[in-house]
Amino acid sequence: MDQFLQQLVNGLTLGSLYALIAVGYTVVYGIVQLINFAHGEVFMIGAFGALTTYLLFFDGHTSVWILPVMIVGAMIASVGTAVLMERIAYRPLRNAPRLAPLITAIGISVFLQEFIRLFYERPSWVVLVFVGLAIGLGYAVGSRRTDAHLNHPVSRWYDRAPLLGGAGGAVLFWAILRLVDRDLNAGLIAAAIVGGAVVGTGIGLLAGRMLKDRAQATIGVQAVAVAATAAALAGEIGWVIFKKLITRPEHSGKPFEWPSAKQRIPFPQIDVVTGKAFQVGGVTIQRSAIFTVSALLVCAVLLWFFINRTRLGRGMQAVSQDPDTARLMGINVDRIIVVAFALGAVLAAIAGVSQGLQNNNIDFRMGFLAGLKAFTAAVLGGIGNVYGAVVGGLVLGLVEAMATQYIPGQFGGSTWKDVWAFVILILVLVFRPQGLLGARVVDRA
């Protein structure tokens, strides 16, 4: 009996992890009918985001209050990756044949794995991220200072040229200045901000003048200047963060050495949620298992409330049923799709932290198999059904745990648990392709 209860606990823990990831698959599928096979890498990047947050701010500490900050760092990394993925890779293919976004998702999955493997130990690539963020921030701030309808369907990139030119010119001036002198002092910081604002404004006005005959929107000098100033300020803030925090130069007292992602990286062990396991009779319950199951319960309740009790949640339900009619009713479908990707990424980030706490380490390959298992769980419960994904994840975890313990002979044991998981997937697809709970249209948000 103790063996059965032990495997039940193990199965629920593993199933909770699968369920957290599977919800991301099913939320996105319910909105855009897309199987995002790169979602496993969003889960992996969440784990690396939590590790990075720990290394930057809390290296060597184990207090339990660190965990919420690590989770926030994981969410920022996962949500940022998912939103960029949707905007750059999936949105242009929204009306393409279904095979195109599927192949794209596989390509993104491989790209993210290799990117983390090759560049995680080389923080200099973060400068390029700050450059992109500075230009994007400058454009966003500048667009709020103009009455032009830049998000109207008839607008084109040359309508946005003055703002993009202003922000890009400011960042270009900042980059040239920092290539000449990388020191941090008040004079250079002021020169980078003021000079970037002036140069960016000039480039933005020049770009607007050159494309005036083709543009349908007129951007004023004030908006261009605001965009350039915001971009220059953001670029300099990013440089300060890079120099003072990310690289930690020798003279700061403690040089920072990033671990290589080409091998398993130890994940920080946090007080209360890791440590000595609890013994209940003959059953061992790991502290990290309690955290994982609790995280699933809390996330399931919050997800139900969000979908059924908030305006965005009801908008997601409307878009999942008929996006064209939802658009006619005034719902911003693009915004809803971004929210769906972000929502799935948040749950994947929590799952990434849970995986690190359970296994005591992470690596760049951890998202591939976990993503396939989560996809299996989503199909098992009913792809497109949020509650089905939770049920499917728990069932899959229990099947793996019980098969490991009770299937005798050479087909049993932990080495065969992945085989039985995919046997379940094949059986479900053959005999009940709609899943255990079915794909209920109302709940497909």
Side-chain angles (χ1 to χ4, degrees):
M1 188 62 182
D2 286 343
Q3 280 189 344
F4 174 79
L5 293 176
Q6 183 65 65
Q7 293 306 112
L8 181 64
V9 170
N10 295 341
L12 288 175
T13 304
L14 189 60
S16 298
L17 188 67
Y18 292 157
L20 285 170
I21 310 172
V23 169
Y25 275 107
T26 205
V27 166
V28 172
Y29 183 85
I31 301 296
V32 293
Q33 307 294 296
L34 167 70
I35 301 296
N36 180 18
F37 277 116
H39 188 65
E41 276 55 56
V42 175
F43 153 78
M44 176 267 293
I45 287 176
F48 274 89
L51 173 67
T52 302
T53 303
Y54 176 82
L55 293 177
L56 288 176
F57 300 105
F58 311 110
D59 194 11
H61 300 279
T62 60
S63 301
V64 68
W65 63 268
I66 294 174
L67 184 61
V69 183
M70 291 175 59
I71 293 175
V72 170
M75 289 180 180
I76 292 173
S78 290
V79 171
T81 301
V83 170
L84 284 175
M85 186 191 308
E86 188 277 332
R87 185 64 184 88
I88 296 173
Y90 293 144
R91 188 175 297 185
L93 300 176
R94 194 170 295 167
N95 297 319
R98 290 192 178 185
L99 186 59
L102 181 63
I103 294 174
T104 301
I106 297 173
I108 293 173
S109 173
V110 176
F111 169 79
L112 291 175
Q113 285 188 49
E114 292 302 303
F115 185 86
I116 294 296
R117 182 178 72 89
L118 296 173
F119 293 106
Y120 185 74
E121 61 184 313
R122 302 175 183 177
S124 55
W125 65 268
V126 177
V127 176
L128 297 178
V129 175
F130 285 137
V131 167
L133 290 175
I135 295 175
L137 179 63
Y139 170 81
V141 173
S143 64
R144 293 183 176 274
R145 304 295 296 178
T146 179
D147 295 329
H149 297 288
L150 297 177
N151 292 323
H152 195 275
V154 300
S155 64
R156 296 292 183 266
W157 282 111
Y158 41 76
D159 295 313
R160 304 176 175 90
L163 294 179
L164 291 174
V171 173
L172 178 63
F173 178 86
W174 164 82
I176 293 174
L177 184 64
R178 285 307 175 187
L179 285 174
V180 174
D181 193 338
R182 299 189 177 191
D183 289 337
L184 287 174
N185 60 67
L188 280 176
I189 291 175
I193 296 174
V194 176
V198 173
V199 172
T201 302
I203 293 176
L205 293 176
L206 179 62
R209 191 177 210 42
M210 293 174 60
L211 298 173
K212 181 174 64 174
D213 295 336
R214 303 181 66 185
Q216 300 182 25
T218 301
I219 308 296
V221 177
Q222 182 184 17
V224 176
V226 169
T229 304
L233 183 61
E236 193 57 34
I237 291 174
W239 183 251
V240 172
I241 293 174
F242 176 76
K243 292 290 289 183
K244 290 290 187 181
L245 186 63
I246 295 178
T247 55
R248 285 190 199 165
E250 295 285 345
H251 58 75
S252 67
K254 183 183 178 183
F256 188 85
E257 295 182 2
W258 289 90
S260 173
K262 298 176 183 178
Q263 55 191 359
R264 290 184 177 273
I265 303 175
F267 197 80
Q269 299 301 287
I270 306 299
D271 296 342
V272 180
V273 294
T274 59
K276 185 177 180 181
F278 296 105
Q279 291 290 336
V280 181
V283 178
T284 302
I285 302 177
Q286 299 292 337
R287 293 171 183 253
S288 57
I290 298 175
F291 170 79
T292 303
V293 176
S294 301
L296 176 63
L297 292 175
V298 172
C299 290
V301 172
L302 294 178
L303 184 63
W304 177 89
F305 179 84
F306 178 82
I307 291 176
N308 296 282
R309 292 292 185 267
T310 67
R311 185 175 180 180
L312 272 177
R314 289 191 291 269
M316 291 174 68
Q317 294 186 52
V319 172
S320 71
Q321 295 180 50
D322 193 333
D324 294 329
T325 302
R327 188 178 283 109
L328 292 174
M329 295 174 66
I331 296 175
N332 189 331
V333 175
D334 288 338
R335 183 185 179 192
I336 293 296
I337 292 173
V338 171
V339 169
F341 273 86
L343 188 62
V346 166
L347 298 179
I350 297 174
V353 176
S354 299
Q355 174 92 328
L357 293 174
Q358 288 186 43
N359 291 359
N360 300 332
N361 58 72
I362 60 175
D363 68 274
F364 74 96
R365 291 179 294 254
M366 63 184 285
F368 179 73
L369 186 58
L372 290 180
K373 295 288 190 66
F375 172 68
T376 303
V379 173
L380 180 61
I383 189 70
N385 188 322
V386 170
Y387 314 113
V390 176
V391 173
L394 294 175
V395 170
L396 183 63
L398 289 171
V399 167
E400 286 193 19
M402 296 304 174
T404 299
Q405 180 67 38
Y406 292 107
I407 293 181
Q410 61 178 343
F411 299 110
S414 59
T415 56
W416 279 78
K417 64 184 181 67
D418 295 336
V419 175
W420 293 115
F422 293 114
V423 166
I424 292 295
L425 173 62
I426 294 172
L427 293 176
V428 169
L429 290 175
V430 171
F431 295 106
R432 190 175 171 80
Q434 70 271 33
L436 297 177
L437 300 188
R440 294 180 293 173
V441 174
V442 175
D443 289 339
R444 290 198 310 160

